């Protein structure tokens, strides 16, 4: 019996040691979460312009072009929906005393999603462990290898074995992984299929728009109270994708943001989803602009339109 207990204890100790070493090695990997947190922490006192939202903002809005003073940062995250956008703004914006403009770029389907129910647990772990957002009392949520399981192994393999860059953005937060030169030949082939998928997801989770609108409205209230301009932006999409999207859902998303803007001074809603100034050549895929030419075109148009709405914007 003593031998059994001894071997069991030894085995448990070995397993715990391996897990601890694995967790330690995961925490040392530089990722978009760690880079964003560091940039926001260090630059918060000087920032004038903040960009937030999902991948459509991460890939399509060039912070340095939008605000040429260099006091801008794009903290958008691929796959990030309204919930974590709201929580991130609340977490970091109070540290930004000079903040003047906030640009929130959203895909229409983001209004019908919730980060906390997403199947990708790595996003929740990234925000909780590396940014201190949406923390819980469950100790397992604070242990990456246990909370994300196989995704933790993939992250470890991608960095230590494959040597992948897990940050992949420039000094101002723009995603640099989607240049026009690397676009696939059939980059729009599945546009209609993806649009139908987003339509179905939005319809299946339609009631979430109420809670998401409430969070966006809360950000608008906070911005208005501080004299910060908030820009609620629906970026452009490719023509095949836009044609396959449910027109009523696109209209509902645009109307929801417009209604929020109408209730607050200094809050603006701009819809580019079916803007004829964009062609399919501007896109890396169905609804993501190329991070070089596409993002440049959109950012310059956005800057122009923002100043048309408010001459003081981005000054």
């Amino acid at each position: 019996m003593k031998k059994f207990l001894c071997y069991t204890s030894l085995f448990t100790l070995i397993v715990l040691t391996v897990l601890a070493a694995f967790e330690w090695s995961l925490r040392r990997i530089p990722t978009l979460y760690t880079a964003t947190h560091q940039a926001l922490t260090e630059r918060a006192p000087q920032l004038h312009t903040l960009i937030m939202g999902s991948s459509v903002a991460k890939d399509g809005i060039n912070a340095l072009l939008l605000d040429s003073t260099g006091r801008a940062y794009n903290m958008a995250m691929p796959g990030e929906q309204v919930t974590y956008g709201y929580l991130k703004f609340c977490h970091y914006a109070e540290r930004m005393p000079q903040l003047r403009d906030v640009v929130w770029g959203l895909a229409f389907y983001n209004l019908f999603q919730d980060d906390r129910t997403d199947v990708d647990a790595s996003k929740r772990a990234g925000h909780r462990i590396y940014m201190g957002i949406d923390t819980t009392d469950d100790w397992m949520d604070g242990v990456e290898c246990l909370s994300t399981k196989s995704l933790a192994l993939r992250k470890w393999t991608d960095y230590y074995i494959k040597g992948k860059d897990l940050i992949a953005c420039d000094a101002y937060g723009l995603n640099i992984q989607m240049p026009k030169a690397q676009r696939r030949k059939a980059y729009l082939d599945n546009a209609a299929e993806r649009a139908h998928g987003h339509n179905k997801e939005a319809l299946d989770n339609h009631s979430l728009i109420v809670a998401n609108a409430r969070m966006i409205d809360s950000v608008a209230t906070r911005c208005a109270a501080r004299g910060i301009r908030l820009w609620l932006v629906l970026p452009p999409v490719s023509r095949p994708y836009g044609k396959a999207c449910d027109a009523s859902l696109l209209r509902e998303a645009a109307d929801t943001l417009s209604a929020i803007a109408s209730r607050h001074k200094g809050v603006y809603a701009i819809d580019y989803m079916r803007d004829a100034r964009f062609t399919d050549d501007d896109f890396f895929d169905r609804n993501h602009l190329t991070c070089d030419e596409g993002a440049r075109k959109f950012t310059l148009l956005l800057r122009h339109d923002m100043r048309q709405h408010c001459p003081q914007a981005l000054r």
Side-chain angles (χ1 to χ4, degrees), residues 242-315:
K243 287 180 180 179
C245 287
D246 186 315
S248 65
L249 292 172
L250 299 186
R251 186 166 54 253
E252 185 175 14
D255 288 349
T256 298
L257 299 184
S258 294
I260 293 170
S262 69
R263 293 195 293 269
H264 302 275
K265 182 180 179 181
V267 179
Y268 308 85
I270 312 178
D271 179 7
Y272 294 95
M273 281 190 290
R274 291 180 171 176
D275 194 310
R277 291 176 290 185
F278 295 90
T279 68
D280 292 345
D281 196 48
D282 295 319
F283 294 87
F284 188 85
D285 61 18
R286 57 201 174 269
N287 65 328
H288 296 93
L289 292 158
T290 56
C291 64
D292 43 13
E293 295 180 20
R296 177 180 179 81
K297 179 177 179 178
F298 177 47
T299 303
L300 293 177
L301 284 171
L302 176 60
R303 186 176 71 179
H304 173 269
D305 293 345
M306 288 169 67
R307 287 179 174 168
Q308 287 292 105
H309 281 281
C310 177
Q312 291 75 40
L314 306 170
R315 303 292 186 185

Side-chain angles (χ1 to χ4, degrees), residues 49-53 57 61-63 66 72-76 101-103:
T49 304
L50 183 66
I51 300 160
M52 54 192 282
I61 303 178
N62 185 320
L66 189 67
Y73 191 77
N74 187 334
M75 73 167 186
D101 290 280
V102 174
V103 180

Side-chain angles (χ1 to χ4, degrees), residues 16-29:
L16 290 175
T17 301
V18 170
L19 284 175
F22 184 45
E23 181 72 14
W24 176 81
S25 65
L26 287 172
R27 300 294 182 97
R28 291 177 61 83
I29 297 174

Side-chain angles (χ1 to χ4, degrees), residues 169-239:
C169 64
D170 68 12
Y172 298 90
L174 176 71
N175 180 9
I176 57 174
Q177 288 186 308
M178 302 173 75
K180 185 175 181 178
Q182 294 182 21
R183 184 172 60 194
R184 299 184 305 276
K185 185 177 181 180
Y187 68 109
L188 293 180
D189 279 1
N190 70 338
E193 180 184 349
R194 291 297 295 165
H196 292 319
H198 288 147
N199 291 339
K200 184 180 185 304
E201 181 183 15
L203 291 170
D204 289 347
N205 301 284
H206 189 267
S207 61
L208 288 175
I209 194 171
V210 176
N212 285 329
R214 192 179 299 121
M215 285 184 278
I216 296 171
D217 193 84
S218 178
V219 170
T221 300
R222 289 168 182 256
C223 287
R226 290 181 54 187
I228 299 168
R229 292 175 291 270
L230 174 63
W231 305 86
L232 303 174
V233 178
L234 291 166
V237 299
S238 68
R239 290 178 183 176

Side-chain angles (χ1 to χ4, degrees), residues 105-116:
L106 295 158
F108 84 92
Y109 51 83
N110 291 147
L111 293 171
F112 306 94
Q113 296 175 321
D114 183 352
D115 295 279
R116 292 168 172 169

